[in-house]
Amino acid sequence: MVRHYVRKTKKGDSYSKNDLCLAKEAVQCKQMTVSSAAKLFNIPRPTLYDHINGRRGIKSNTMGRNTALGPQHEQKLANLIKIMDKYGHVSPFKNGYPNKDWWLGFSYRHKLSLKKPQVVECSRKKACNPFTIYGYFELLRKTMDELNIMDKPDRIWNLDETSFCLDPSKTKIVGAIGTPATRTTHGSGRDNTSVLMACSAIGQKAPPLIIFKGKNIWDKWVPDQSDFPGTTYAATTNGWMERYAFLNYFEKSFLITAQPTPDNPVLLIYDGHSSHVDLKLIEIAINNNVTILLLLPHSSHLIQPMNLAVFKSVKTTWDQRLCTWNRHHYIQKLPKQELSRIICNIWATLDKQIIKNGFKKAGIYPYNYNAIDPAQFDPLSLSRWNLRNTVENNNQIDINQPSTSKESANNTPEQSTNNTTAQFIDINTFEEMLLNSMKQIPIENTKRRQVSSGASVITYEEAITILREKDLENNKPKNNKRKKQADEVPVNETRTADINTEYMIEQNLDSFDEELDLNFSLDSDDNDLLNELLREEENLADERYLFRTTNNIGDWILIKYDVKEKSSNEKHYVGIIKEINDNMLKVRFVKLKSEDKNSTTFVYPIADDIDDVSDSNVVCCLPQPTVGRRSQLIFGITFSQYNLK
């Protein structure tokens, strides 16, 4: 940083703080536009825009960038230093500032260290929300009560798949200081094999599903004798889980192991991956007394037993066994048969207590509503959650306990709620203040359809209906043969067929009788022609709407202005009628959101643009726009033939 910088321009000397405040107030009170205020007070227009939109604060005395600490914090710090100097306080640090030795002692006393932050996906960070997490636990308790399995851990199951790397990477070795240690492997460390595992809350383990990359399963891939009987195998094109593989495992392996009955139903909990949700799978689950509960998206690290305890122990043992195998088979690739044998042996010898600990840590069995540590939640979301619960509890206390004194009788529930809210808002931790001070830049997201709000039970009739409609929509054949058929049919036959079809449609539409039962069928080509005719009728209706002759308050209109420019003699603007006086219209104008003249999206300017317009300048009336996000106005027509501004 330059310590003795001399400003080379006098750009910031043309206006003062008072001028900036006056200009900002004039624009916000709609007394002046931004351009006129900038010219009057001699302030750069971008600077005034930034202050109006809150992107910049009060103009500083130094005319430089913002300081690291805010003005209030700097002033408070300066006052403290002055008070210390007043009473002759001397700095305890050597040379007046803390050095590295002080930092080492300070970090040791308070257990601090410099560390590389662990990368956490944004989606997983957002999933740590008390509103969704506690909602999932409510749904879990309700489902377990309905199935009457709250005290039956053998009826609660969890499954998930994970990948096993074919090269060891976790096991550490001992070596000389200052000498690099190496481990020679066959592959690049990126070859993985997916394995699906399932277990119950009592510690029972289901046969695993090992998924290889390929089109077929070969006999050399399967060991002659497995340490875990019933192990299943599958082959997919990419080596990942797919719907047909998951469906076969559920029907031919899991149901045999869990043995659900009407008297002893089974609750199966897993994540909502696309390969785990299928219409046929849900129908089989319902018919076999299995209730499927999908976990919250991006929250398996918090509430899934397999991720909390089981997979870590399994993969640690797997890495150790892999190192042992590599020492006896130098620079050799692990055969698929040996891979299956090692995985089955690890899964068979896994301690049942590890599985039980996973279900306990996830709060599934024993059921624990408060299994998730509140420290893992987002502080602001947690404060809103606590505030809501406090307000609800106070409201319930006010209802259940009638007041006995005059003061309590005068206090309404609304007043008590406001008092509680004010009390809670005043209590801010340093972490909350820090998060509030961090400015977030909003990013406009594209629209998307919400399929599920979070954790959900999918084994019910409504879910089956939704999946059936989705399958019908995906399997609907596309009519791509029309163009080929039109090329093959002679021109005369095509023209004759079109004339006959149009005549038939016109006759039926003109001479339609409600009491007459008309039974005629149209092929795919005739259906497309009928749809085109309907679209033409709708377009004509829109055009007739454009050329209305009467103007009313609240109507949207297109207005022309005559200008003297070489490019064009007319410019067109869009606005809404606010008042009507004889032949004069008071119109509030909007502007295009983008510079593209073919755009149909408009926004209101920062300062209202209102003008009196003669009725003769109105080109046409416009249909009512659709209000989108951030008050954007979207018209269902195009303005390509106009010089729109």
Side-chain angles (χ1 to χ4, degrees):
M1 179 179 178
V2 180
R3 301 183 184 276
H4 303 287
Y5 175 75
V6 179
R7 193 175 186 88
K8 299 179 181 178
T9 63
K10 297 183 179 181
K11 186 177 180 181
D13 298 336
S14 60
Y15 63 96
S16 62
K17 289 184 181 180
N18 189 29
D19 294 337
L20 182 60
C21 294
L22 291 176
K24 180 180 177 182
E25 183 179 358
V27 175
Q28 290 178 343
C29 295
K30 300 180 180 179
Q31 297 176 356
M32 303 177 67
T33 62
V34 177
S35 299
S36 59
K39 292 180 181 178
L40 178 62
F41 293 96
N42 199 16
I43 301 173
R45 190 170 60 177
T47 302
L48 187 56
Y49 264 117
D50 290 342
H51 282 273
I52 293 173
N53 295 328
R55 289 193 291 264
R56 296 179 63 180
I58 301 175
K59 184 175 182 291
S60 62
N61 294 324
T62 59
M63 293 181 293
R65 63 179 182 180
N66 293 332
T67 56
L69 299 177
Q72 296 179 353
H73 297 89
E74 281 197 347
Q75 185 64 37
K76 184 177 180 180
L77 183 60
N79 292 336
L80 293 175
I81 294 175
K82 292 177 182 179
I83 293 174
M84 294 172 64
D85 179 65
K86 178 180 178 181
Y87 293 98
H89 181 78
V90 181
S91 175
F93 301 111
K94 186 178 181 180
N95 298 326
Y97 60 88
N99 53 18
K100 186 177 180 180
D101 293 333
W102 174 87
W103 159 249
L104 293 176
F106 177 79
S107 61
Y108 175 77
R109 291 190 298 271
H110 297 278
K111 297 181 180 180
L112 302 176
S113 65
L114 293 174
K115 60 181 69 176
K116 181 180 179 181
Q118 183 180 2
V119 178
V120 179
E121 297 179 14
C122 177
S123 55
R124 291 190 178 271
K125 192 68 176 178
K126 292 180 179 180
C128 299
N129 190 322
F131 293 90
T132 56
I133 293 294
Y134 291 134
Y136 154 76
F137 278 107
E138 287 289 346
L139 178 62
L140 176 64
R141 181 192 57 78
K142 179 181 177 181
T143 306
M144 294 173 67
D145 287 339
E146 291 176 354
L147 298 177
N148 194 22
I149 59 173
M150 190 66 75
D151 57 346
K152 299 178 181 179
D154 58 320
R155 302 286 91 193
I156 306 173
W157 287 76
N158 174 233
L159 63 80
D160 192 20
E161 63 265 13
T162 187
S163 59
F164 287 84
C165 183
L166 302 185
D167 297 315
S169 58
K170 295 182 178 181
T171 303
K172 297 181 179 180
I173 63 173
V174 178
I177 298 177
T179 304
T182 60
R183 177 184 287 126
T184 305
T185 60
H186 177 272
S188 60
R190 298 180 180 179
D191 295 335
N192 295 273
T193 300
S194 299
V195 179
L196 177 68
M197 296 178 174
C199 57
S200 67
I202 203 174
Q204 182 181 358
K205 291 169 283 191
L209 168 63
I210 302 176
I211 305 173
F212 295 115
K213 183 178 180 180
K215 294 184 177 180
N216 302 298
I217 296 292
W218 299 90
D219 56 350
K220 294 184 179 180
W221 296 359
V222 181
D224 298 332
Q225 293 182 354
S226 176
D227 292 335
F228 205 108
T231 302
T232 56
Y233 303 86
T236 60
T237 55
N238 51 17
W240 301 340
M241 176 63 70
E242 294 185 2
R243 288 189 178 183
Y244 69 89
F246 186 80
L247 177 62
N248 290 336
Y249 173 80
F250 178 81
E251 185 177 11
K252 299 177 182 179
S253 180
F254 177 78
L255 292 178
I256 297 175
T257 304
Q259 296 181 354
T261 61
D263 296 333
N264 291 312
V266 168
L267 174 62
L268 179 58
I269 305 173
Y270 57 73
D271 60 79
H273 190 265
S274 59
S275 61
H276 299 167
V277 181
D278 185 72
L279 176 61
K280 188 176 180 180
L281 171 70
I282 297 175
E283 292 177 345
I284 294 174
I286 293 176
N287 295 333
N288 289 274
N289 306 293
V290 177
T291 300
I292 299 176
L293 174 61
L294 298 183
L295 293 171
L296 291 168
H298 313 292
S299 61
S300 58
H301 64 294
L302 294 175
I303 55 179
Q304 177 151 248
M306 300 293 287
N307 289 74
L308 290 174
V310 178
F311 284 154
K312 181 179 181 180
S313 300
V314 171
K315 287 192 174 183
T316 301
T317 308
W318 160 261
D319 202 83
Q320 295 172 356
R321 298 277 187 91
L322 205 56
C323 289
T324 303
W325 190 90
N326 283 341
R327 283 197 295 268
H328 296 86
H329 305 81
Y330 185 69
I331 316 180
Q332 294 185 23
K333 185 178 180 180
L334 181 69
K336 291 182 172 61
Q337 188 178 41
E338 187 66 19
L339 179 144
S340 302
R341 187 189 65 80
I342 296 176
I343 290 178
C344 291
N345 179 264
I346 295 173
W347 185 236
T349 57
L350 181 68
D351 189 3
K352 293 183 179 181
Q353 189 60 38
I354 296 177
I355 300 176
K356 295 179 182 179
N357 292 339
F359 279 87
K360 181 179 180 180
K361 190 174 182 180
I364 298 177
Y365 183 84
Y367 176 76
N368 184 7
Y369 181 82
N370 299 316
I372 307 300
D373 185 6
Q376 299 189 35
F377 294 140
D378 177 57
L380 295 179
S381 300
L382 182 61
S383 62
R384 291 196 300 268
W385 170 263
N386 294 332
L387 174 60
R388 193 194 72 168
N389 290 342
T390 304
V391 173
E392 290 179 355
N393 293 336
N394 289 343
N395 289 340
Q396 185 150 8
I397 291 174
D398 292 340
I399 295 173
N400 296 336
Q401 298 180 0
S403 58
T404 56
S405 63
K406 294 182 179 180
E407 294 182 358
S408 60
N410 294 330
N411 290 335
T412 61
E414 295 181 357
Q415 292 175 348
S416 62
T417 301
N418 294 334
N419 294 336
T420 306
T421 304
Q423 181 181 1
F424 232 96
I425 291 176
D426 291 340
I427 303 174
N428 285 328
T429 63
F430 174 75
E431 187 175 10
E432 294 173 357
M433 296 172 61
L434 179 63
L435 291 174
N436 285 326
S437 65
M438 296 171 62
K439 295 182 179 180
Q440 301 295 323
I441 301 176
I443 300 176
E444 185 176 357
N445 296 325
T446 57
K447 294 183 178 179
R448 57 182 180 179
R449 179 184 176 188
Q450 184 176 0
V451 178
S452 176
S453 59
S456 59
V457 179
I458 61 174
T459 47
Y460 61 101
E461 293 299 330
E462 185 177 353
I464 294 178
T465 303
I466 295 174
L467 289 176
R468 283 176 179 170
E469 293 177 354
K470 187 176 180 181
D471 288 345
L472 290 175
E473 183 178 354
N474 294 335
N475 296 330
K476 185 177 180 181
K478 296 182 180 180
N479 189 13
N480 296 329
K481 298 181 180 180
R482 181 180 179 186
K483 185 175 180 180
K484 296 181 180 179
Q485 293 176 355
D487 295 338
E488 296 176 357
V489 178
V491 178
N492 294 333
E493 295 183 6
T494 304
R495 185 180 296 112
T496 304
D498 293 340
I499 293 174
N500 293 336
T501 304
E502 294 177 4
Y503 177 78
M504 179 178 63
I505 295 174
E506 290 176 359
Q507 291 294 324
N508 285 288
L509 294 177
D510 294 340
S511 60
F512 180 76
D513 188 1
E514 294 181 356
E515 298 180 357
L516 181 62
D517 186 11
L518 296 176
N519 293 321
F520 63 93
S521 60
L522 301 175
D523 59 10
S524 60
D525 294 345
D526 296 334
N527 276 324
D528 294 338
L529 179 58
L530 181 58
N531 292 332
E532 291 179 3
L533 292 175
L534 293 175
R535 284 194 295 270
E536 291 179 0
E537 289 291 333
E538 293 175 358
N539 294 335
L540 290 175
D542 288 339
E543 292 179 2
R544 287 195 296 270
Y545 186 92
L546 290 174
F547 297 99
R548 293 184 309 176
T549 57
T550 59
N551 296 319
N552 301 315
I553 296 177
D555 287 350
W556 288 90
I557 55 177
L558 183 66
I559 302 170
K560 65 178 180 180
Y561 278 90
D562 295 330
V563 294
K564 296 181 180 180
E565 292 183 1
K566 296 181 180 180
S567 59
S568 176
N569 294 329
E570 291 183 352
K571 289 187 178 181
H572 298 85
Y573 298 86
V574 174
I576 184 173
I577 300 176
K578 290 297 184 181
E579 295 180 8
I580 300 178
N581 297 320
D582 296 334
N583 293 331
M584 298 300 294
L585 307 175
K586 180 169 285 188
V587 181
R588 182 185 180 186
F589 293 95
V590 294
K591 64 177 183 179
L592 281 171
K593 180 185 176 184
S594 61
E595 297 180 357
D596 185 8
K597 295 184 179 181
N598 295 326
S599 175
T600 61
T601 304
F602 295 78
V603 295
Y604 287 103
I606 298 177
D608 289 344
D609 188 3
I610 301 176
D611 191 13
D612 294 329
V613 181
S614 175
D615 195 9
S616 60
N617 290 341
V618 178
V619 178
C620 62
C621 293
L622 304 176
Q624 289 293 329
T626 302
V627 181
R629 297 177 67 249
R630 299 181 181 177
S631 301
Q632 296 177 2
L633 304 173
I634 304 172
F635 290 88
I637 58 176
T638 58
F639 302 90
S640 57
Q641 66 271 30
Y642 302 105
N643 185 18
L644 202 62
K645 296 296 181 182

